[in-house]
Amino acid sequence: MQISARGDYAVRAALSLAIAYPSLLSTQTIAAEQDMPRKFLEAVLADLRRAGIVRAQRGAEGGYTLARPPREIAVGAILRAVDGPLAGVRGMRPEETRYLGAAENLPRLWVAVRAAVRQVVDEVSLADLAGGRLPAHVRRLTARPDAWEPR
């Protein structure tokens, strides 16, 4: 799975908002805290607002806040809001793929890959991540000897 810059920025911005919840944060504050370009952040926050993940308040005391408590927002929802489906194969959803011959069983693998990704990003909330309390099955994945090795 490839995490885009947009997805990375969206999760980082949402984590800043989770720590401050329910207070408002300006884009300038988030951008400075997370060392990201403000204009790009504004576009990412607009995507999150359209998805119902954040709320915006205009005015001198305005800014952004999460639309729901951090424990109710999964990382997967944030990634989908800015990048679309978690797993795609040539622009199709894994279950839409069809192959003949030697590759006929490949759709099952693509579906399994998507399910594995969901098992992590849809089961980790902003509260979990901000508090450093990942679910046990996710902690076990990071504890595997090869987990931190590049391949």
Side-chain angles (χ1 to χ4, degrees), residues 18 20 28 35 43 67 70 85 99 110 112 131 143 151:
Q28 187 169 341
D35 190 28
Y99 303 99
W110 299 152
R151 288 192 207 186

Side-chain angles (χ1 to χ4, degrees), residues 6-15 44 47-48 51 53-54 66 68 70 73-84 86 121-122 124-126 129:
R6 196 172 194 85
D8 178 59
Y9 283 12
V11 173
R12 290 168 49 204
L15 283 168
V44 167
D47 287 343
L48 295 177
I53 293 170
V54 301
L66 295 176
R68 298 183 310 279
I73 302 172
V75 172
I78 295 164
L79 294 173
R80 285 184 193 90
V82 298
D83 284 334
L86 294 175
V121 298
D122 286 345
V124 174
S125 73
L126 289 175
L129 201 51

Side-chain angles (χ1 to χ4, degrees), residues 7 19 31 40 55 60 68 81 85 98-101 120 124 129 136 143-144 151:
I19 297 295
F40 191 58
R55 283 188 305 105
R68 298 183 310 279
R98 300 285 181 268
Y99 303 99
L100 300 174
V120 174
V124 174
L129 201 51
R144 291 174 55 163
R151 288 192 207 186

Side-chain angles (χ1 to χ4, degrees), residues 85-138:
L86 294 175
V89 180
R90 297 178 296 118
M92 295 184 290
R93 294 181 181 274
E95 71 276 9
E96 295 172 339
T97 60
R98 300 285 181 268
Y99 303 99
L100 300 174
E104 71 180 322
N105 294 309
L106 198 49
R108 280 192 255 168
L109 178 65
W110 299 152
V111 168
V113 167
R114 180 181 59 191
V117 170
R118 284 178 177 172
Q119 211 169 19
V120 174
V121 298
D122 286 345
E123 295 180 23
V124 174
S125 73
L126 289 175
D128 295 333
L129 201 51
R133 296 178 307 270
L134 296 175
H137 71 281
V138 176

